[in-house]
Amino acid sequence: MDVIDLKEAIFGDDVFPSPAMYQYYKNLKNNTIVINSDIDDSILESAILPLMQMDADPEVKEIKVIILTCGGDIYSGFAFVSALERCTTPITIQLVGIAASMGTLIAMAKSPYITVVCDSFTVGLIHSGSTYLEGNVNSVKDTFKFSEKYEKKIKDYMLSHTKIDEDLYDKIERQEYWIDADEMLELGIVDKII
């Protein structure tokens, strides 16, 4: 991004910069990605592409990802998980406040280069996702079948990336399973409480 584009992105038509945009670019300059909204397809530009650029830069020695989210879209969220797990630069994922639903699933990302931390007041949420069905009977059936298949994929991901076993998963899969920092540590979702 050249200087003119950056100025436009930060200032827009205002004399003073947008505090959020100013902080976003300041964080990127410090190899920090902040996710503090619902996970949606904007994560490509706001997190995935910057992450890939940081990882490709030999000058970058560590990347920090700070997450505070109530969750969001699983497809966009898992695109971010895949990007995190492909990185070879050390990454610290720090959960603050709430990392629910897709935020909890992102926290389960694992590789030799990823460390996940949270403070003692952080909470997470594990639950079944929701989907929207519309169309004719056949398209609704097709979407339902695909959703069941994808739910199995998420289950396999959770079982392979945490200490959650089959019994616990079967108990919690159809409920809103809120977890605090201590339980996230016990279940292997986070590596350390800071």
Side-chain angles (χ1 to χ4, degrees):
M1 179 176 275
D2 64 34
V3 175
I4 295 168
D5 290 337
L6 183 58
K7 183 180 177 208
E8 178 65 26
I10 294 174
F11 284 87
D13 294 330
D14 297 327
V15 175
F16 297 104
S18 155
M21 290 308 294
Y22 172 77
Q23 191 61 50
Y24 173 74
Y25 287 108
K26 186 177 173 185
N27 287 334
L28 289 184
K29 187 176 178 180
N30 293 317
N31 304 313
T32 299
I33 296 169
V34 177
I35 299 171
N36 63 343
S37 61
D38 289 346
I39 308 296
D40 61 24
D41 59 3
S42 69
I43 200 169
L44 177 62
E45 292 85 8
S46 65
I48 295 172
L49 292 176
L51 177 70
M52 292 167 64
Q53 290 170 341
M54 289 174 198
D55 187 48
D57 185 344
E59 302 275 320
V60 175
K61 302 303 178 203
E62 183 179 5
I63 300 167
K64 189 168 192 176
V65 177
I66 301 172
I67 299 175
L68 186 153
T69 183
C70 290
D73 179 66
I74 58 172
Y75 307 114
S76 300
F78 275 114
F80 187 49
V81 167
S82 295
L84 287 164
E85 291 184 341
R86 281 194 301 270
C87 285
T88 56
T89 304
I91 299 170
T92 298
I93 299 173
Q94 183 174 349
L95 311 178
V96 295
I98 185 170
S101 192
M102 191 62 231
T104 303
L105 292 171
I106 291 170
M108 294 176 188
K110 297 291 183 258
S111 88
Y113 303 100
I114 297 173
T115 302
V116 183
V117 301
C118 71
D119 62 55
S120 61
F121 291 100
T122 302
V123 297
L125 169 65
I126 298 172
H127 65 167
S128 290
S130 59
T131 191
Y132 177 74
L133 298 173
E134 72 174 347
N136 64 39
V137 171
N138 290 327
S139 63
V140 168
K141 285 179 183 177
D142 291 342
T143 302
F144 182 77
K145 279 189 228 171
F146 179 77
S147 294
E148 282 187 315
K149 181 178 170 182
Y150 207 81
E151 197 171 274
K152 166 87 169 79
K153 191 172 192 162
I154 294 170
K155 174 184 178 180
D156 292 344
Y157 168 80
M158 289 175 59
L159 296 181
S160 67
H161 283 65
T162 68
K163 295 176 185 171
I164 296 172
D165 61 22
E166 195 89 38
D167 290 338
L168 178 58
Y169 183 87
D170 289 343
K171 288 177 191 169
I172 66 174
E173 74 169 318
R174 296 285 176 231
Q175 58 180 282
E176 299 289 292
Y177 191 70
W178 288 96
I179 49 180
D180 64 13
D182 293 326
E183 191 168 9
M184 283 194 279
L185 181 63
E186 182 183 318
L187 294 175
I189 297 168
V190 301
D191 301 305
K192 184 174 158 185
I193 298 172
I194 55 173

